[in-house]
Every structure is written in structure tokens, then in C-alpha cells.
Amino acid sequence: MRHHRNLNTTLTKSIIAIAVAASSNIAFAEDESGANKPERIEVTGSRIKRLNFEAPSPTVVISAEDIKITGAQNVNDILTGLPQFADGFDSAEGNYSFGNAGLNVINLRNLGEARTLVLVNGKRTPSVTSDSQAMYTDIGTIPSSLVERVEIMTGGASAIYGSDAIAGVVNFILKKDFEGTKVNVHLGGTKEGGHSTRSLSVTHGFNFNEDDGNLTVAFDYLSENALKQSHRAKSYNYQRSVTNPNKSEGQPDKIWKTGLSPIPWGVPQTIFSVYNAEDGGYDWYDFDESSQDIALKARFRDMYDGWLVEEENGYDGTEWGHIEDPFERINLFGSLNYQFEDFDLSYDITLARTKSNNIIDPPFKRAWMQVSEVKELFDTPASITDNFDDEDWIGFHHTFYEHGGRKSNTQRDFISSNLTLSGVYNDDWFWDVNFTTGRSSFKLNSVSQLRHDRLTSKLQVVGECEAQGNCPTFSPFERQSDALLDYVVDGFEAITDTVNHALTVNLAGDVYELDAGMIQVSTGVDIRYEGIDFDPSELWSSGKLSSEKSPLDASRNIKEVYFEVLVPVLSDLPFAQQVDIEAAYRIADYSSNDSRFESSKLALNWALNDDVRMRSIFSQAVRAPQLEELYAAQSIGFSDVSDPCDDSNINGGPSDGRRIGNCALLGISKGWTSNIKTQRAEVRNSGNADLKEEKADTLTVGLVYTPTDNFLEGLTTSIDYYDIEIEDMISGFNGSSVMSNCVDLKANSVDNMFCDLIKRQANGDVEYVKPLSLNYDSARARGVDMELYYTWDALSFDLKASRIFERSTSTVNILDDTVETNNESGQLGDPKWMSSLVTKYKLEDLTLSWTFKFRQGGRWNDDSKPDYRDSDTPSHSRVHNLRADYQVSDTATVYLGLNNITDNNGGDHWTTSRGQINGWTILGRTGYIGVDLSF
């Protein structure tokens, strides 16, 4: 496509130069007179059009070639393998939720998904929602076949891009002016079975009207099968760290046990338990429906943590559940670029549909009653009445396995379009106007949910059927009829729609020339609208299921103005070849908050000579609370909550014993047993309209070394220190915290905000508790990023490494106003050392690559005493991947790869057998094969 005057729209191909922001190469465009003039480019972290890639922002770049050699077809899998990223939402994270299956959201610095800003071509993209109605950028909607590179800038960037850019920015740069046709076919699988992958991508583009215009279309299809619990013998349902039944002096509290099975979850037959007063727990029995006989299945004294037994004595614990959810995605992308005489037009549209599902054990109903009551309510077999006394307590855990597991199906439909007009005025002023609009629709369908309004806590069938006189019968001693299943097992659905509109106007150019260079500025206006409409089905919002969700319909307008300046201070001096100072300021007005958000940056870019450059940025960044954090209507669920007034807890709390006195003010005395001691408490969650923005001070200081002598030419190194401190962090007081604060805040008083969040009955039993979110805590992340790239003829090395010094959360103890800091650096999930090494060798038509990824192992919980568990630290993660590409002809390249060739298996330790903890996977060894065709 022909370039318009001095504005060259094609960026240089020097990916390494971008990665370290150290290249001094200048690209040139030809004007109408035939003269070459420097190209102005925009780099991630700044809106100023520069003459080269040198910027103070530490930026890691993943090129299209880097993406290709991983063999991963999902961009999320590629990014989470980098040292800068922690686990976000992906196929391994969604399987413990109602509706996060199929969601792909990244988490930079492990500071939370909401604190990482994702851009496409430097612009915000419309959002999708999680099952909690939080709004994120789903990178699964980005056409992977058109990704030219991914630029990852760490540290605050709110002054340039606005809210959310606290941990950093991930900018996906898509290919432009594509010509020809490219096809990729890819197949992958695992050695042990499960989680096979199939993908097809087709990209076609052509220029027209004497290369003034370009039209590109792309189709991406990706399908990944589920990895089920039953696919891996070492899955989490097979092994646990359990309470040591033989604990004595010098023995650990917890021991690692393999070969375990659960009781009573997912049981495919009728079972019940009877309280054994001598052992202080419930013994479990099988009930044979045909013979009406009972058989002791497991004694409480022989069980681990009251519900796990040796494998041969339990039930199949891997029958239900996914380790990684299935995933199917279709992306359609089209772009039109046209250069008019005085301006350029760029338009693109993206359509994406993703489908996924997850499944857990079937619905169940639990009930406790004395045998005498059982005899009154049910036709009780003689094997029960003959073996147990009327005063014995019997517990039923009836699983409706005939109806199948509790399955959730998700479908996300996404559409986004972007129109940009841009041009050049007077050769050195650049303008652009961009309008983006998009919508997403998230449909959640959950089946096999038990209706608690139709089956009481005493297992009695009630509800609509009573008036009609046709209630089906229920018995805990037999399998249930289809009529009963149809009546008490139901499903729900919900639809969440989001809409985003954004208008951005930017102007950048030269202001005044100093001795050291030209003062450059950029300024602009952002106007955005975002809205969410969560519509749960009437059944889900009725409170008749185990959970309850209320609708949410909220929106807001956002208006922002920013200004950025680059001032050259020194040039062509000893130890100061070029010294630039950059500054930026942004002010934002959110209609959802009664305040204005301010953010700023101050940066230094100091080139000592051709070889060495120092860079530093101090930034004040912000994150505005999301709509669901502010306005979420009340939803009801059930959770484990500790009651401080229960007899086992009432002696706790502050040392002055105020808890006992305050519980007495609630009408509760010592010796009382709380109703939520043996059952989950009802919790009522809702938003908090009084939340304000989070604030962060971020600092990066770095050094770039690119030697120019012959021996080291081709070497590029960088090292950057980062420090991110977050204040007024939005964090929640869970049910247990709310309840303890109610009676522990002040002696002889229960007049406080926390007690107002608890509803107790007259006898003291907890009816419900309301968790609360406040701007209360703070957090900090500190560390060093290092990168080394070296190329020598056909051989190249690219090493990226990170060392984490701190990843902490500081919580204010509201009892004594002290701050408690918990540094999780070195803990599993926050390894101190992480690295990735990519080695490539090219020999004519053959290209070989070897990738080595390292994650340092850490303790499951650093806060527990060293001898609390017998084993809580997995081995270091060391993953080796190999790939070979062979160019068969000018139009065809075949490739094959083998990942994790040493079979580094997360299932080898209980801490990493859940599925995917960044660096430890239970997939095992995987392989793939594919072909690239170009026409």
C-alpha cells in the first residue's frame, strides 16, 4: 500500500529493538519529491510520535515468530508462560465457577486481572464479563493469525491510557496492509490423553486502487477438548494434604496422602451416616436397595478430615469435574485501510463467539435427624430400626446422580468495530480521531440445580404440587422416580450484555527546537461510555435454588483529558549523547463517582553513548471501581463462616475478653452452639456505591546495553527494577471478618457498622451475613526484569528472567489500627525466580528451536509454621519444548513440536495437581503438528 507523504504506516521489523527500546535505527518514507524523511512512530506507553524506538518505558515484545514457535494456539497460553505474568482466567481457572469457562483474561505481576490494561493497536477494546459481572478484555477475541507482535509495558501508564493501567499495559499490534493468502492447519494432543487441540486459520488480503487501499479478512477457528479429572490418575481428587490422624510430639499437623477417594460427594448409590459418639464423628454406611441391607463403608476414625478414605474404601473421585474446560472459538476479522489525499482512513470489525462448559458432581441434599424422626417421616427399613436406637443421629447425603452432574454451559458473543481517521499537518503535526464501539453478550445456562423450595431440610416434598395433590414421593432409602427428579431438579440461565463506546482525539507534534533537540507534545481527549445489563432468570433471582442473583443494570460516562511533553535536555556531550525528560498528566471525570481522578508520569531517558542507555519512569496511576463493585444488587449464596459467639470461639478475640461481653449483649452466653457451626451460612453480597478509586505509585529504573564493537555486535541486554505500591485497594471483608469485627471492635458495645451487616434470630442463630468491600488495604510488588538477546549468524538466544523481591498485601487491623503486611514472594504462585530461554538455529530450509521455562518452587503457604505439613513445596518447574519447521516449497512449511519433553508433571505433588498453577501443569507431555501455506 502506498505511503501518504511523510506518514509511514508500516513499523520497522526490528523486534529486538522494540523489546529493549534501544535501537537507534531510523526508518524513512519517501515524499512526493523523492526525498527520504524520517518516519514518526508511536510506542507503547506514549502518544508522542518519535523518530526511533527509544523510550523510557521498559517494554517486552513477543513477535509473531515467538508466538509461532510455542505451538500454542491460544494467545493467553503464550503470555502466561512469560515471567511477568501470573495465572488469570483461562481453561484451567474457569472450572471452579458458574460461568468463567471459556474466558481468557491476563494477570500482570499477579496484581489482579482488573489492574492490567489490554489494548489493540494502542486502543481500548470493548469488554466481556466474568461470572461476577466484572468487566475485562477477553484476549480470546483478538484474531491470533493477525497478531504481528505483543508489547508488554510494565508499570503505571494511567497518564497516557487512563484507568486500570496499574500493573502495566499489554498492547496487541495487528498486521496491516496484508497481501496474499495464508492458511494454517494445526493438530495437537497429549501423551496421556485428553485436551486435544484443533485449529484452522485463513487470512486473505489485497491492495486496490493503485495501492491506495487494502482489504484484509481473517478467519480463526480453535477447538480444545476437556481434560477431565478421570484423564489423570494424579489429579487433585486423588491426593490431598490431610490432617495427620496419628499426630504426636514432633509430628506434622498435615501429611501428604495419595490414593484417596471421597465420601460422600458424587456417590452413585444410596448412603447415609450415623453419629458415633465414641469417636466424635459420623460413620458411613452403604444401603443396598434390593436387599434392604446395610454395610459399614467407613468409620469416622479411619477417615481423613471426615470425608476422605483410602481409595479402595471410597468412590470414584474423578468421575466428575474438569481439570481444564473444553473451549471452542470462532473469530472473524475484517479491515479496510485507505489513503486519501489529505488523510488516512482505517476501519476494522471483529466478531467472535466462544463456547465452553464445566461440570461438577451431581446435585445433592443433606439432612440430619434422629432415627425416631426418620421412622415418623419415611417407610424405614428394618436394617435401620434393628441396628440403631431412636436417639441415634442419622445423616443423609442423597446424590441425584441419575440427573447427571451440575453442568454450566457458556456462550460469549462479541462484536467490535473501530474507525480511525488520521493525517499530518505541516509535516510535523499528527492528528487522529478514533471511534470504537462494541457489544458482548454472555449467556450462561446451568442445569441440574436442586430446588430447595421443593425439598425441605427434612427431605419432605413441598411446593406447587401440594395444592394440586400430586407431589411425587421421596425416600432416602431408594433411587428416585423420574417424576421426583423432574420436580426437584431444575436449571437456570442468565444473560449479561455489555456495551462500550469510545471517542478519542489525539494531536501530537513539534513545538520548539532547543540545542538538544525538538520539544514534542501530545494531547488528547477521551470520551467513553460503558454499560452492563445482567439479567438472571426468574428462578435464579427467586431464592429457590442454593444461590440467588439479582439483576444489575448500570452505566456511566467517562471524560478524560491528557497532555504529554518530551523535552530534550542535553545532547552530543561526554556521557550524555542524548538526555530527554518526559512528563504527562491526565484528569478523568467519572459519572459514577463524585470525584475526579488524576494521574501523572515523569520519565528520564539518558543515552550515555551508542552502547549504554539509562531509563526511569515515576508514575501515579489509578483504577476506578468497576460497575459491579459499585452497584451490584444483592445476591445470595452460602459459604463457610465462623461465628465468634460459638462456644469454640467465644474465648478468642482481644485479650481483654470483650468478645464474651459483646456476645452477651446479643443475647448469647458461653456454651452456646451456633447454627452455622455444622452448615454453611447464608451470605448476601452486594456492591458499595461509596467506593473510590485505587491509587498507585509506580517506579521503574533500568539500564540498556547494546555494544557496537565487532565481537559483541548482535548482543542486546537490559535490566529494569520496578516498584508498584497500591493504596486504597478495594478489598472485601468476608463473612467471618464481618462477624468477628461486630463483637471485637469495642468493649461493651455492638453499635457498629459490622453488626448492622448481620441478621440473627431471637435464639442467636445467624440468619444471614453481608460481606462488605471497602478501600481499605494496600499492596506492593517489587522486582527486577532482565533480558538478554544475542544473535550470531544462524544462531540466536533470547533470555527473559524476573526476580521478585516483594508481592505483598498490607491489611489494617481495625482493632488496634496497626498494619499487618504479608509478603507472598517465594510462595507457590509467586516464585522468586522465573525465566524463559528461546534458542533458534536456522539451516537453509530447516529451523530448529528449543525453549526452556523455569519457575522456582515455593511453599503452599508461607504463613504456616515450617513443620505444619510434612510436604508443602513442589520441585522447581523445568519445562523443555522442541520444535522443527521445514520449508517444503515456496508456498508450504510443515512443522512439528514436542512440549514438556521431560514430562514435568504437576500431578507429582498435591500442591500442583489441581490443574494449572503457572509453570506447573498436569497435562504432561504434549505434541503437535501443522502446516503453513502461503499463496
Side-chain angles (χ1 to χ4, degrees), residues 459-590:
L459 303 178
Q460 300 301 293
V461 181
V462 295
E464 304 168 2
C465 65
E466 292 178 293
Q468 301 168 1
N470 61 352
C471 287
T473 60
F474 174 89
S475 172
F477 302 108
E478 62 183 29
R479 301 318 306 167
Q480 308 309 317
S481 65
D482 290 341
L484 186 282
L485 292 174
D486 290 342
Y487 186 68
V488 301
V489 181
D490 209 335
F492 66 80
E493 60 183 18
I495 297 177
T496 308
D497 294 324
T498 63
V499 59
N500 295 83
H501 305 304
L503 174 65
T504 304
V505 180
N506 297 299
L507 178 67
D510 300 342
V511 177
Y512 185 78
E513 187 167 9
L514 303 174
D515 291 341
M518 184 68 70
I519 296 177
Q520 297 174 272
V521 300
S522 71
T523 186
V525 176
D526 289 345
I527 301 174
R528 303 199 305 274
Y529 170 87
E530 59 184 25
I532 183 172
D533 182 7
F534 170 62
D535 184 18
S537 64
E538 182 180 349
L539 178 60
W540 199 11
S541 59
S542 67
K544 297 174 182 179
L545 303 175
S546 59
S547 65
E548 177 183 340
K549 284 281 191 177
S550 299
L552 169 64
D553 187 358
S555 63
R556 64 184 173 191
N557 298 305
I558 304 163
K559 301 173 184 177
E560 300 181 308
V561 178
Y562 81 93
F563 179 80
E564 181 184 16
V565 60
L566 184 156
V567 180
V569 178
L570 299 172
S571 67
D572 300 326
L573 296 175
F575 304 107
Q577 185 182 74
Q578 185 69 43
V579 179
D580 296 335
I581 294 177
E582 296 183 30
Y585 174 79
R586 175 180 288 256
I587 186 168
D589 184 4
Y590 279 63

Side-chain angles (χ1 to χ4, degrees), residues 423-440:
V424 183
Y425 174 74
N426 199 29
D427 288 344
D428 52 14
W429 281 93
F430 303 84
W431 62 268
D432 67 82
V433 178
N434 172 261
F435 178 69
T436 300
T437 183
R439 293 178 178 272
S440 71

